[in-house]
């Protein structure tokens, strides 16, 4: 166990390569770009959460001076649908709107004011339909939101016919229903970008995405042009957290740019981003969990209903993930899990950091605490005696890479002063502390195409160039690549050229998602390093007439070992010498998957434990998390500063999920339309003390390298905090975000009972 | 037939990043539009556009303001400093501290954070934690969880302390 900080990591603690340009404001984000003759695009979104479109009249808007193009579904030359897996979302709606973010028309004009004015002059005749604003309604209604009905996806896992029978025999049973909010990604940079029609008939798309190649493929389908005619430039990005993986403004800007033959910029206003953007799936989870006299878990029945909103996006995969993570790192002999993902007229739910794990982990860990209380044993001891062992199978019974992370994080968190030191009491506040753990799969899972790739070369300018199709959205990818390259090759950062985020320049590496990038980068470099080193050293040896074994790569160029090591040829000179036969190596490989045919089942997992201390204001019921410790087991730490940032940032995002974030909808419309009513944590809302500890070890034979930590920092926060709330006031929180009224009620009851 | 669009414009004179400026813009323009769109100073960011997030922070007559809430007429004869100017000679020590302590990730909130901190630190080189929290409570960051930012301010204080000791 090691604390993740500057002192422990010394020289590995490195300034990020994109840092300078970010602190000085000189970095151009894609939404900062401007081009000559650029037009401003705006999208007209649906006036109703559910309605038939009877007509769309654009005549008046077209006559407004300064308007250069207006598009409706009639202007979509190819497939009028998008969606990462199931293309079911209309680019521009033809006859029906299914949520308030649905696009009906789009405008390009010479200024934003004119574009806005034009939107107000587009007349759409709607015929409002019944609004299905909850999964319950959707499941019972005759109204079908999609031709195949209102169920998007069902998923489940059952390992025995006798789950209910076994549960009935349990002396200790807890049954509860939990609900979690529609969390918004709230990236500071809202969706946007510019699409530029080039002279050669090609299209350059400057817009944020987590998967440039997937955007290109979908755009080609919509625009009906070959993929090779589209170039997607997709980094740097001002935050994503899963929220920009799906197409957002790209199709509109592209259609308008093609129609006007001019660059078109679209940058969503926050209110539009709220309305149209995807959110975390709200889930309702009923869990019945039983334990025997010895305190061993016996049975676990789980029913999950996910509100996927109007369109599919990654709804099915999120549900699969939730099902898989419903048992967490525990061994439960009798398990029966069923989930359903339901279409509604609410905002579209899609990919979000943690990918369905956060919701079920909150429910599962709450169950663990309740059972421990019933059994009157320490919640950590209860967890410990039910914990998976290193070589136990994964949650779906699939083989996974041997890993003792669960025990490791549990052992680490036990030592947290939050749990071991006595709570300081204060007159007006009550305090409490809690703990939770999680196990989180990386990569897309069995049965899903999850390829990756990399390219390593020496450029004619003498730079060692490494290229990936990943995106930098703040997570620190560039820094991680730099560190891994320097470690693998022995060169300096000045010798490197890192290329990402441009489909014309990089190999396809798959999506920057599912905590896969760090792992895939490490793997890519491992695969390319040998051939590259061999080639370079061979060439250097023959050119300088030196024994190859004495040579190695270092700063500036190739060095010869000796009494005093000597630079014998610089990369630049070597590149010159090689001129037209510069070495270039490619690799394509797949994210490691379990050998067992379990759809969506993961193979590599990481683990985390969280301890939290809360302070509750007795007068207002307001909960403040005052301390938080995090322990993570995810293999070697590649980039300490980046790793720490991911865990800290993830933790505070998890805190928002727990304490105050909810995109409140009624009748399919948002009440919380901007950051004044949708409250993400501010600097005053975070714990004053926060520490991160890591276990970097991998088990013998684990050749899979460092796991990504993009998601794991968010997952176990909610249950740790709610356990602390229970400790403080006796309330078992069932619904997130925590309601101060409920807390206050619990405090009042306590006061009453005490008297 | 296309209808003509009539628009009033106003003349503005102000000083921006040490340079005098004269501009003619619609009075409905906000300072953030003038900076980002007319002058291409895109270091100032937009996010909420209602004065809630601080991404658009600039210094107006030496005080931090949300440029999304400042109307064009309000900058008449004023002095404005944006993030582009903060490092015109060299990195401000708080920028350096951000780099060293991981005070940024996506970086979209960073210019606003730096501007807000510069405002605070110019009044008070050794703010207490409470003062820092108070001053930054209008600047939202979704990536860092603020912990890196707090470390950066601590680092800044250490550096300033050391300098004072040497002197
Ligand atoms: S954009 Fe001005 S405060 Fe948010
Ligand atoms: S670094 Fe991304 S919002 Fe602060």
């Amino acid at each position: 166990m090691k604390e993740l900080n500057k002192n422990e990591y010394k020289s590995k603690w490195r300034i990020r390569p994109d840092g300078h340009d970010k602190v000085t404001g000189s970095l151009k984000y894609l939404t900062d770009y401007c081009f000559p003759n650029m037009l401003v695009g705006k999208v007209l979104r649906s006036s109703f959460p559910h309605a038939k479109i009877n007509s769309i009249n654009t005549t008046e808007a077209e006559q407004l001076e300064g308007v250069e193009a207006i598009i409706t579904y009639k202007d979509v030359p190819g497939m009028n649908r998008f969606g990462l897996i199931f293309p079911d979302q209309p680019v521009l709606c033809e006859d029906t709107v299914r949520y308030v973010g649905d696009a009906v028309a789009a405008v390009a004009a010479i200024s934003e004011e004119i574009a806005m004015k034009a939107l107000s002059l587009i007349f759409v005749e709607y015929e409002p339909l019944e609004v299905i604003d909850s999964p319950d309604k959707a499941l019972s209604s005759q109204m079908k939101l999609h031709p195949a009905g209102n169920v998007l996806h069902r998923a489940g896992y059952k390992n025995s016919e006798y789950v209910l029978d076994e549960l009935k025999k349990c002396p200790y049973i807890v049954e509860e229903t939990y609900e979690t909010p529609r969390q918004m990604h709230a990236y500071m940079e809202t969706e946007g970008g510019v699409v530029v029609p080039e002279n050669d008939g090609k299209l350059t798309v400057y817009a944020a995405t987590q998967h440039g190649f997937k955007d290109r493929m979908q755009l080609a389908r919509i625009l009906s042009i070959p993929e090779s005619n589209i170039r997607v430039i997709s980094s740097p990005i001002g935050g994503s957290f899963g929220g920009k993986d799906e197409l957002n403004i790209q199709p509109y800007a592209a259609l308008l740019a093609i129609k006007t033959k001019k660059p078109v910029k679209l940058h969503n206003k926050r209110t539009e981003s709220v309305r149209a953007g995807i959110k975390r799936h709200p889930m309702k989870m009923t869990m019945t969990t039983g334990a025997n006299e010895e305190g061993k878990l016996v049975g676990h029945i789980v029913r999950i209903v996910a509100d996927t909103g109007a369109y599919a996006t990654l709804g099915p995969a999120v549900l699969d993930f939730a099902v898989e993570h419903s048992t967490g790192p525990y061994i439960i002999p009798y398990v029966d899990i069923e989930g359903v993902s339901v279409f509604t007229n609410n905002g579209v739910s899609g990919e979000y950091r943690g990918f369905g794990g956060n919701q079920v982990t909150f429910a599962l860990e709450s169950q663990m605490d309740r059972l421990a209380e019933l059994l009157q044993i320490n919640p950590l001891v209860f967890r410990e005696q039910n914990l998976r062992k290193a070589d136990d199978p994964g949650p779906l019974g699939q083989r996974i890479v041997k890993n003792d992370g669960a025990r490791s994080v549990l052992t680490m968190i036990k030592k947290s002063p939050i749990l071991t030191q006595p709570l300081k009491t204060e007159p007006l506040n009550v305090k409490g502390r809690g703990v939770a753990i999680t196990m989180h799969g990386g990569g897309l899972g069995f049965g899903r195409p999850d390829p990756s790739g990399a390219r390593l070369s020496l450029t004619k300018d003498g730079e060692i160039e490494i290229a990936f199709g990943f995106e930098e959205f703040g997570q620190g990818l560039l820094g991680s690549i730099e560190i891994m390259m320097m470690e693998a090759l022995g060169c300096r950062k000045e010798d490197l050229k890192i290329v990402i985020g441009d489909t014309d320049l990089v190999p396809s590496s798959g999506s920057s998602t599912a905590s896969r990038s760090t792992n895939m980068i490490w793997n890519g470099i491992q695969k390319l390093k040998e051939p590259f080193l061999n080639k370079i050293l061979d060439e250097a040896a023959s050119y300088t007439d030196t024994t190859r074994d004495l040579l190695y790569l270092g700063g500036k160029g190739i060095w010869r070992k000796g009494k005093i090591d000597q630079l014998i040829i610089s990369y630049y000179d070597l590149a010159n010498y090689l001129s037209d036969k510069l070495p270039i190596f490619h690799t394509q490989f797949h994210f490691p998957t379990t050998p067992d045919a379990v759809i969506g089942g993961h193979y590599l997992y990481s683990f985390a434990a969280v301890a939290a201390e809360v302070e509750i204001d007795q007068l207002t019921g307001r909960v403040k998390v005052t301390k938080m410790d995090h322990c993570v087991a995810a293999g070697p730490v590649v980039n300490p500063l980046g790793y720490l940032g991911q865990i800290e940032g993830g933790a505070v995002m998890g805190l928002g999920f727990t304490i105050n974030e909810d995109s409140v909808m009624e009748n399919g419309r948002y009440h919380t339309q901007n950051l004044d009513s949708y409250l993400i944590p501010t600097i005053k809302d975070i714990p004053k003390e926060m520490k991160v500890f890591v276990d970097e070890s991998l088990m013998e034979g684990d050749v899979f390298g460092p796991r990504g930590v993009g998601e794991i920092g968010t997952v176990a926060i909610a249950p740790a905090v709610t356990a602390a709330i229970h400790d403080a006031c006796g309330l078992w929180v069932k619904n997130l975000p925590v309601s101060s009224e409920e807390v206050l009620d619990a405090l009042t009851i306590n006061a009453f009972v005490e008297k | 037939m296309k209808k003509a669009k009539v628009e009033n414009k106003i003349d503005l004179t102000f000083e921006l990043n040490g340079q005098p400026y004269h501009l003619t813009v619609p009075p409905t323009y906000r300072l953030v539009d003038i900076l980002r769109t007319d002058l291409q100073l895109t270091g100032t960011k937009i996010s909420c556009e209602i004065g809630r997030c601080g991404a658009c922070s600039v210094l107006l007559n030496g005080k931090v303001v949300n440029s999304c809430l400042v109307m064009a007429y309000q900058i008449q004869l004023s002095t404005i400093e944006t993030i582009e100017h903060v490092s015109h000679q060299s990195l401000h020590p708080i920028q350096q501290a951000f780099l060293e302590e991981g005070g940024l990730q996506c970086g979209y909130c960073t210019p606003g954070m730096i501007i807000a901190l510069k405002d605070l630190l110019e009044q008070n080189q050794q703010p207490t934690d409470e003062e820092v929290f108070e001053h930054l409570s209008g600047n939202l960051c979704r990536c860092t969880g603020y912990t890196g930012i707090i470390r950066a301010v601590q680092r800044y204080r250490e550096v300033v302390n050391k300098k004072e000791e040497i002197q």
Side-chain angles (χ1 to χ4, degrees), chain A residues 29 32 188 270 661 684, chain B residues 45 47 106 134 142 146:
Chain A
Y29 292 78
D32 292 335
M188 283 296 112
R270 175 64 62 182
E661 292 183 34
K684 292 186 99 178
Chain B
K45 303 300 181 195
S47 183
C106 82
E134 197 59 45
R142 190 52 154 175
Y146 307 100

Side-chain angles (χ1 to χ4, degrees), chain A residues 188 238-239 241, chain B residues 103-110 140-144:
Chain A
M188 283 296 112
F241 318 109
Chain B
L104 72 147
Q105 288 182 18
C106 82
Y108 202 76
C109 70
T110 313
L140 300 176
C141 173
R142 190 52 154 175
C143 304
T144 62

Side-chain angles (χ1 to χ4, degrees), chain A residues 185-223:
Chain A
H185 300 81
Y187 22 71
M188 283 296 112
E189 184 190 33
T190 50
E191 308 83 355
V194 192
V195 175
V196 183
E198 307 289 354
N199 291 336
D200 55 4
K202 291 188 178 175
L203 208 58
T204 309
V205 179
Y206 298 84
T209 177
Q210 291 180 219
H211 196 170
F213 286 94
K214 223 11 187 284
D215 275 22
R216 193 177 73 167
M217 182 275 275
Q218 295 194 75
L219 282 173
R221 223 158 49 181
I222 293 164
L223 304 172

